[in-house]
């Protein structure tokens, strides 16, 4: 049995937290400073985490290796299982040229690339996040923006920054469901508070996107449709998360945002400003003006409609219970870890949701897509294998970073950092979103960050007299802003637009936005913890 210790270095929580943070610092420095490829940075960080676990925390080598193996397994399933199958659906649409039909459909909504960025990266990306999450929105939206004529770097940055507001309710609400499970708080309560934080980001992000595409001129000329889209998205996300279902919050928000954009006359009839702004891409294809038969347009939208239908059916209580019967739970071998209080940690057990997981549902949608688009079974299988090959470095990055996260979590490194942050006392409300941001930056998953720090946030809140629901929600809401700087998301974005090895360049471009929006979220949580904004809470 390995017993976690919070202060293994000289009996000091501060020194121990400093040592525990070394693996994360190493990864970020290698990515942003040295410009090392993400999978190499992840493997180096994993080695550092293992050395800290063994040498500073005294974790047995066998249990350290077992922790890393479990993290890698979690990275493969369910995370990469979702990404691979989602991108497989996309590849089939490319092969049958229905992706071109979809692209032309989006392109006809407006000739203005700033509006196209909102339609594709913000609205369509939110729908993809709602259905699949885990990197799929960044990959697919980046490719679509490049196809519309965006510079690859700009396309990747726009897609990364857009992938914020929907993340907390992504993958059919998986992050908030996990948060409720690990904290013991009611799901409805947690979702309700998160739904009173992330919609405020939705008001800002569309404005940021048009600024990224066209600077101050973009803000000056397209702030009306951008703000309209953000308001519609925010209202729908708030209403669904508080009064309907956390699992459907992003689907409703994405559709509402898109409907608002279409409803604004500025987005349907190109203005002289929009035509002038079109030179931003300078590579807009005349192919966008080619007419498409209505049946082909319907088939182009069919894959995503199928995903919506399959996921919606899977959320029905009777179907959900039936699918859950296939879930398998295993005692993870060579792992016996208890926390400082002597209670077994969740990592001792591995849960495998064979059918109910998002990746399997996307796989079913992919099989249906192959039938609708007329893709032969042999061709579909070939495309699936090609998807795995295309993502091989992203797979290595994701598995290495998840292995790093699990080693840090099970050895006690993450708990040390969390307790150090929780010792902030009155400043805890400000630092609470930072902890979630930190977790997502490392793991690339709001779900993982909630699992990592959710219970700690609740404990710290009760010790300091703050609302447990507020700090638990802040962990998830702050976490969404770490998504754009996570190594695996950067890798997926680079792979999608042909910028392999330039993850460091993207990191430097999106880091200021990540930190700036994080500051906004920190101030929101501080306000909600005080009489200034406490009226916002349920």
């Amino acid at each position: 049995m390995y017993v976690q210790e919070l202060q293994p270095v000289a009996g000091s929580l501060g020194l121990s937290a400093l040592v525990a943070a070394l693996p994360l610092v190493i990864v970020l420095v290698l990515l942003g400073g040295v410009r090392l490829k993400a999978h190499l940075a992840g493997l180096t960080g994993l080695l550092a985490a293992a050395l800290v676990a063994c040498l500073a925390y005294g974790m047995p080598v066998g249990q350290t290796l077992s922790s890393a193996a479990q993290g890698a397994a979690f990275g493969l399933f369910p995370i990469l299982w979702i990404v691979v199958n989602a991108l497989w659906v996309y590849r089939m649409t490319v092969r049958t040229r229905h992706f071109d039909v979809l692209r032309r459909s989006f392109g006809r909504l407006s000739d203005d690339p700033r509006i196209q960025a909102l339609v594709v990266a913000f609205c369509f990306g939110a729908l993809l996040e709602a259905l699949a999450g885990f990197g799929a929105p960044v990959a697919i939206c980046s490719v679509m923006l490049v196809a519309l004529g965006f510079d690859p770097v700009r396309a990747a940055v726009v897609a990364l920054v857009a992938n914020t507001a929907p993340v907390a309710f992504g993958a059919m609400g998986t992050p908030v469901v996990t948060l409720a499970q690990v904290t013991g708080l009611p799901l409805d309560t947690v979702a309700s508070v998160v739904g009173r934080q992330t919609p405020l980001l939705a008001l800002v992000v569309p404005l940021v996107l048009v600024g990224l595409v066209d600077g101050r001129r973009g803000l000056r000329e397209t702030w009306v449709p951008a703000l309209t889209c953000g308001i519609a998205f925010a209202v729908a996300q708030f209403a669904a998360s508080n009064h309907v279902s956390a699992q459907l919050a992003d689907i409703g928000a994405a559709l509402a945002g898109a409907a608002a954009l279409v409803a604004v006359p500025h987005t349907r009839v190109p203005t002289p400003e929009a035509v002038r702004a079109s030179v931003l891409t300078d590579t807009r294809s005349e192919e966008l003006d080619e007419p498409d038969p209505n049946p082909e347009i319907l088939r182009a939208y069919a894959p995503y409609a199928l995903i919506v239908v399959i996921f919606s059916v899977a959320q029905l209580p009777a179907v959900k219970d039936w699918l859950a019967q296939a879930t398998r739970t295993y005692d993870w071998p060579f792992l016996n870890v208890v926390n400082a209080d002597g209670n077994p940690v969740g990592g001792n057990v591995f849960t495998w949701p064979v059918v109910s997981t998002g990746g399997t549902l996307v796989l079913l949608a992919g099989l249906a897509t192959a039938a609708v688009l007329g893709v032969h079974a042999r061709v579909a299988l070939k495309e699936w294998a090609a998807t795995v090959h295309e993502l091989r470095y992203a797979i290595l990055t994701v598995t290495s970073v998840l292995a790093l996260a699990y080693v840090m979590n099970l050895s006690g490194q993450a708990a040390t950092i969390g307790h150090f942050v929780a010792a902030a006392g009155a400043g805890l409300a400000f630092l609470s979103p930072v902890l979630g941001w930190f977790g997502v930056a490392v793991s690339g998953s709001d779900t993982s960050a909630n699992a990592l720090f959710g219970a700690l946030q609740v404990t710290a809140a009760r010790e300091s007299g703050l609302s447990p629901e507020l700090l638990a929600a802040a962990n998830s809401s702050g976490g969404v802003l770490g998504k754009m700087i996570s190594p695996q998301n950067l890798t997926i974005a680079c792979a999608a637009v042909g910028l392999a090895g330039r993850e460091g360049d993207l990191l430097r471009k999106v880091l200021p936005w990540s930190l700036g929006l994080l500051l906004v979220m920190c101030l929101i949580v501080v306000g909600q913890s005080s009489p200034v904004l406490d009226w916002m809470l349920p």
Side-chain angles (χ1 to χ4, degrees), residues 292-376:
D292 291 303
N294 288 333
E296 290 304 301
I297 295 176
L298 291 175
R299 292 177 75 190
Y301 281 90
Y304 306 101
L306 286 168
I307 293 175
V308 171
V309 171
I310 289 175
F311 271 86
S312 298
V313 170
Q315 294 303 311
L316 297 174
V319 177
K320 191 173 184 178
D321 292 341
W322 180 67
L323 294 177
Q325 293 177 7
T327 298
R328 297 291 180 264
T329 302
Y330 305 95
D331 290 327
W332 193 258
F334 311 112
L335 200 61
N336 185 12
V337 181
V338 297
N339 60 26
D341 296 326
N343 299 317
V345 301
N348 295 328
V349 176
F350 184 78
T351 301
W352 185 23
V354 183
V355 180
S356 59
T357 188
T360 303
L361 297 178
V362 175
L363 176 66
L364 294 176
L367 296 174
T369 295
V372 170
L373 300 185
V375 180
H376 191 277

Side-chain angles (χ1 to χ4, degrees), residues 155-176:
V157 170
V158 167
L160 286 166
V161 174
N163 191 221
T164 49
V167 169
F169 297 102
M172 303 305 294
T174 299
V176 291

Side-chain angles (χ1 to χ4, degrees), residues 421 424-437 457 466 470-471 474-475 478 515-529:
V421 174
L428 182 59
F430 184 86
L431 292 175
S432 183
V434 177
L435 197 58
W437 173 86
Q457 296 268 23
L466 295 173
L470 174 61
L471 294 200
N475 191 84
L515 294 175
L517 292 172
L518 174 63
L519 176 60
V520 172
M521 182 54 65
C522 290
L523 295 176
I524 290 172
V525 175
V526 169
Q528 291 178 334
S529 69

